[in-house]
Amino acid sequence: MKRSIRLFTISALAAGVAACGGGGSGSGSTGTVSFGVTDAPATDLSNVTIAFTELRLKPENGDWIEFSVDGFEQINLLDLQGGLTEPLITDEEVPAGNYTELRLIIDTQNSFVKKESTADAQYTLAVPSGEQSGLKLKGDFLVAADTTTNFTIDFDVRKSIVDPQGNALADFMLKPSLRLVNNLEVGSISGQVDYAQINSMRGVEDTEDALADCQYEGSVYVYEGVDVTPTDLNVNNEEGNPLMVVPVEADPDSVFYNYTAAFLPAGDYTIAYSCQEDDNEQDDAIEFEGEQNVTVVANETTEAETIPLQ
């Protein structure tokens, strides 16, 4: 059965994330929460440093609760891939009950981007309203009484960093694509890609059906649901985008390339691989291989079949 991914973005409300276990939310009761941040990997970008200064929570029936992000002011999101996280706040006591919004306040002056293709040159990064109202994650999430609940904010860099096309604010613009997940409800997908075999099969057939040459080592695309027809990533499309795009990495102990798609809510997914370049701001006709359905179980890592499929 298809499960709904709980997406939280700047422009739209999403379904809530409920904490597991615990008691009710009577007057005066409290629960404990921790929030961390992770990243769905990106290509070309070698450093995406965001300076977080404050995390704010809005109870459904109360005033904003503010937490200073001490000790983790600058976080390179690209260090947080494959299931790694960095804590923003840890074991903070808050009123139990329903919450309707989370905000991340950003120091734009100390946030920046670097690119591998320009020898790690540093670029400025504009975060509209980042220092005032912050990045807004609207929706509902529950803090149960007498219970510790750990959440992770998945900050998808590949979807979030865009070229402002002449906008004078900065070299790049942050257009956040964020997901909030309860750590008790998520699992991951890991697998391998035989890039050498795939690359050897491309660009050699002298027919109309010949596959295009590989343009880089490739990425695995993850979609919600079963038997999804793979599409490229285009942040300007409202529907059909992959949930995440995970670049593969060389395995030093074998000829294969590895990947891990982490913090996926339990449910069914379609994955596919492409080694064609994919511009996140336009439609690209890219070719996919290794399409398969994968079921994610909470607190487990599901091993996908090796790509290409045998």
Side-chain angles (χ1 to χ4, degrees):
M1 181 177 68
K2 185 176 181 180
R3 297 282 297 271
S4 176
I5 298 299
R6 300 177 175 99
L7 290 175
F8 293 73
T9 68
I10 292 298
S11 59
L13 297 180
V17 179
C20 293
S25 55
S27 177
S29 60
T30 63
T32 301
V33 295
S34 297
F35 286 86
V37 64
T38 189
D39 171 42
T43 57
D44 190 24
L45 300 174
S46 60
N47 187 307
V48 177
T49 290
I50 306 296
F52 298 95
T53 61
E54 194 173 283
L55 185 148
R56 300 175 183 174
L57 303 175
K58 180 62 172 70
E60 184 176 39
N61 299 308
D63 297 328
W64 284 95
I65 303 171
E66 301 178 355
F67 298 96
S68 176
V69 182
D70 295 324
F72 303 101
E73 287 83 1
Q74 287 185 303
I75 298 175
N76 177 11
L77 295 176
L78 299 190
D79 289 337
L80 307 178
Q81 301 181 2
L84 299 178
T85 63
E86 187 76 70
L88 294 175
I89 63 172
T90 303
D91 297 332
E92 295 286 354
E93 188 173 6
V94 298
N98 193 52
Y99 287 73
T100 59
E101 188 172 345
L102 180 152
R103 294 188 180 184
L104 297 171
I105 309 302
I106 306 298
D107 176 3
T108 57
Q109 294 299 315
N110 289 301
S111 300
F112 58 86
V113 170
K114 294 183 180 181
K115 294 177 64 177
E116 290 182 358
S117 59
T118 56
D120 290 335
Q122 184 168 309
Y123 298 89
T124 55
L125 179 64
V127 186
S129 301
E131 296 184 356
Q132 290 78 42
S133 57
L135 309 181
K136 305 175 185 68
L137 290 81
K138 295 185 177 182
D140 294 316
F141 59 94
L142 179 68
V143 175
D146 305 318
T147 299
T148 296
T149 308
N150 297 316
F151 295 98
T152 295
I153 303 164
D154 188 352
F155 203 122
D156 195 328
V157 164
R158 184 158 185 173
K159 294 180 181 179
S160 300
I161 304 299
V162 298
D163 187 337
Q165 297 294 325
N167 190 314
L169 290 176
D171 300 316
F172 288 89
M173 184 80 70
L174 184 66
K175 185 181 179 182
S177 176
L178 310 175
R179 297 186 304 130
L180 180 67
V181 297
N182 183 325
N183 291 1
L184 291 177
E185 299 176 349
V186 296
S188 61
I189 299 172
S190 289
Q192 293 188 313
V193 173
D194 190 339
Y195 171 72
Q197 180 180 351
I198 291 172
N199 196 35
S200 69
M201 297 187 301
R202 289 183 169 272
V204 296
E205 301 97 325
D206 187 21
T207 69
E208 293 183 358
D209 297 326
L211 299 174
D213 288 332
C214 283
Q215 296 165 323
Y216 76 116
E217 288 82 357
S219 295
V220 172
Y221 290 59
V222 182
Y223 306 85
E224 178 193 5
V226 299
D227 298 328
V228 175
T229 300
T231 61
D232 69 318
L233 172 63
N234 184 344
V235 296
N236 297 313
N237 291 339
E238 294 183 359
E239 298 181 357
N241 270 307
L243 179 65
M244 64 176 66
V245 180
V246 185
V248 301
E249 296 184 351
D251 184 344
D253 298 321
S254 74
V255 298
F256 294 101
Y257 282 69
N258 299 327
Y259 66 91
T260 297
F263 294 101
L264 295 170
D268 296 323
Y269 296 86
T270 300
I271 65 171
Y273 166 85
S274 178
C275 56
Q276 267 82 64
E277 293 180 354
D278 188 355
D279 188 325
N280 72 340
E281 296 182 75
Q282 67 181 30
D283 288 325
D284 296 295
I286 62 176
E287 297 170 346
F288 290 94
E289 298 190 42
E291 299 171 30
Q292 57 186 288
N293 296 324
V294 180
T295 299
V296 171
V297 179
N299 300 306
E300 294 184 11
T301 297
T302 301
E303 294 294 331
E305 294 183 56
T306 300
I307 301 172
L309 303 179
Q310 301 301 317

